[in-house]
Amino acid sequence: MKLLRYLLLPVVPIYRFVAMVRNWFFDLGVLKSKSYNFPVICIGNLSTGGTGKTPVTEYLIRLLKDDRRLATLSRGYGRSTKGFIQANSKSTAESLGDEPFQFYSKYNEDIIVAVDEKRVNGIDTLKSKNSDLDLVLLDDAFQHRYVKAGFNILLTPYDKLYVNDICLPTGNLREPISGAKRADVIIVTKCPEDLSEDLQVKIERLLSPESHQVVYFSHIDYANEVISSNTTRGLNSMNGVKFTLVTGIADPSPLVSHLKSLGLDFEHQSFKDHHKFSEDEITALKKKELVLTTEKDYMRLSPYFKDEDTLFYLPIEVKLNNKDAFEDKVKDFIKTY
């Protein structure tokens, strides 16, 4: 696969040029963006997957759900359905996609969760069905410029900064680095918890933010407990227990490193992002004594483990180094409406 990507290097300038022309057309108004009279916040990235959008979206949900009638709108990647769907008690990870279903499972009493490939139609339909709606979080929509979000949050992982990457198909960028100028906030995700101020300054210089942009740094905070459908147990209780770690996410390396740092003994079965588990794979996993997975993968796997108490997930949250300043900036934007 890596060899093929290198062989496709001559295609990179073509891809980059097409993406630049598309952005120019939006900037010049040739392609139209729709604005709204209520706050729309976009969480996205320049690269393909693995930047930490889901925990950042959940961070914003927790921050804003008590003050606003909030909806999340996602594409619903990997779902078996098409068009607009608003989550309800009959929804599943298959009908919504794993990440939207995760939002619904955790916050359904406090927020609205919807999916639609066409974000303009999604927002319009959400508003028509929910007249009290007054805030939309767009999950993974930085390149979906038909919606003009009022506030753009751009994510980039600490060990894979977009300034050190190139466009598809050889690199991982969905658009040229210049697209970062549209962001209001840049969050460097998956940082070491003890990231020094000197290194923060160095990274900020590398990113070279515009005068209107603010750069924040965040790290993943892993829970001390693992959860199944029937019970919760301490993560330290897994010491001395051989278990299977199953991941279907873009970048499992931080989780693997964390578990290894705790001295846990496990085998790792790694699948591609949003992997749809086959019947044979499910059967094999159900034979395992203990399976640990991510919360996103748990949304897809748990329906097959209803009668077994062998599947657990490890909750995570994102922690920002300068959370008060970030939260004030988000709330100040919302107050303008």
Side-chain angles (χ1 to χ4, degrees):
M1 185 63 177
K2 288 185 178 180
L3 176 60
L4 177 60
R5 296 188 80 173
Y6 283 119
L7 291 174
L8 290 172
L9 184 60
V11 180
V12 170
I14 300 171
Y15 180 98
R16 185 176 185 277
F17 177 74
V18 171
M20 288 178 65
V21 169
R22 180 178 184 270
N23 279 333
W24 288 336
F25 281 2
F26 276 108
D27 294 339
L28 295 171
V30 177
L31 294 175
K32 303 296 182 183
S33 300
K34 184 172 181 177
S35 301
Y36 292 87
N37 61 358
F38 53 86
V40 176
I41 298 176
C42 171
I43 305 100
N45 49 31
L46 293 187
S47 60
T48 55
T51 59
K53 294 183 297 296
T54 301
V56 170
T57 302
E58 290 194 358
Y59 185 104
L60 291 170
I61 291 172
R62 294 191 297 272
L63 175 66
L64 303 170
K65 64 182 176 62
D66 294 333
D67 299 323
R68 290 273 179 161
R69 184 53 171 153
L70 182 158
T72 64
L73 179 63
S74 312
R75 174 188 175 189
Y77 187 86
R79 62 187 171 122
S80 60
T81 57
K82 293 186 179 297
F84 178 88
I85 295 178
Q86 183 168 315
N88 56 48
S89 59
K90 296 181 180 179
S91 297
T92 63
E94 186 169 345
S95 65
L96 289 179
D98 44 25
E99 290 153 341
F101 186 65
Q102 180 175 321
F103 301 152
Y104 179 75
S105 299
K106 296 174 73 170
Y107 305 105
N108 70 84
E109 295 181 0
D110 299 315
I111 69 171
I112 305 163
V113 175
V115 293
D116 197 330
E117 303 92 332
K118 298 180 179 179
R119 305 309 204 285
V120 172
N121 181 71
I123 295 177
D124 292 346
T125 307
L126 268 170
K127 189 63 177 176
S128 69
K129 290 178 174 288
N130 307 274
S131 58
D132 59 342
L133 176 69
D134 60 0
L135 172 61
V136 173
L137 301 181
L138 288 178
D139 175 36
D140 194 13
F142 196 75
Q143 285 74 39
H144 198 94
R145 297 194 60 185
Y146 289 101
V147 172
K148 186 174 177 58
F151 195 82
N152 284 287
I153 299 174
L154 180 65
L155 310 181
T156 186
Y158 164 79
D159 60 344
K160 297 176 183 177
L161 300 174
Y162 59 77
V163 290
N164 297 327
D165 205 348
I166 61 174
C167 284
L168 293 165
T170 300
N172 293 307
L173 297 186
R174 297 170 172 175
E175 60 174 302
I177 293 171
S178 58
K181 295 178 180 180
R182 301 196 305 276
D184 298 282
V185 160
I186 300 170
I187 301 179
V188 182
T189 60
K190 304 182 181 180
C191 297
E193 192 170 345
D194 57 351
L195 184 66
S196 69
E197 289 190 12
D198 287 345
L199 196 47
Q200 290 180 42
V201 170
K202 181 179 179 181
I203 292 172
E204 186 166 348
R205 285 175 179 163
L206 282 173
L207 295 176
S208 188
E210 301 291 309
S211 58
H212 70 280
Q213 295 176 322
V214 183
V215 178
Y216 297 96
F217 296 84
S218 72
H219 65 271
I220 298 171
D221 184 39
Y222 294 94
N224 294 319
E225 298 175 327
V226 294
I227 300 172
S228 74
S229 58
N230 300 313
T231 187
T232 298
R233 60 187 286 180
L235 185 57
N236 59 5
S237 72
M238 300 177 73
N239 271 307
V241 178
K242 181 67 179 283
F243 64 91
T244 300
L245 174 66
V246 177
T247 60
I249 57 177
D251 182 14
S253 57
L255 173 58
V256 172
S257 297
H258 175 68
L259 296 177
K260 285 183 176 179
S261 73
L262 298 176
L264 298 179
D265 184 16
F266 60 93
E267 62 165 339
H268 180 202
Q269 294 188 14
S270 180
F271 300 90
K272 67 178 182 179
D273 199 12
H274 303 283
H275 177 70
K276 290 187 177 181
F277 293 91
S278 69
E279 191 173 316
D280 288 345
E281 288 167 344
I282 296 294
T283 300
L285 288 176
K286 291 178 75 170
K287 292 178 180 178
K288 301 291 185 180
E289 184 176 349
L290 184 64
V291 177
L292 180 65
T293 190
T294 69
E295 190 169 4
K296 186 171 83 168
D297 294 312
Y298 185 82
M299 296 298 131
R300 279 172 284 139
L301 288 170
S302 58
Y304 304 101
F305 285 77
K306 289 180 179 178
D307 300 324
E308 294 90 357
D309 197 23
T310 57
L311 177 70
F312 289 79
Y313 72 88
L314 177 62
I316 65 170
E317 287 187 7
V318 65
K319 300 289 185 181
L320 274 87
N321 291 17
N322 197 356
K323 66 181 288 290
D324 291 339
F326 171 75
E327 292 178 3
D328 286 345
K329 190 168 183 64
V330 172
K331 290 181 177 180
D332 286 345
F333 156 71
I334 292 174
K335 288 176 184 176
T336 63
Y337 287 83

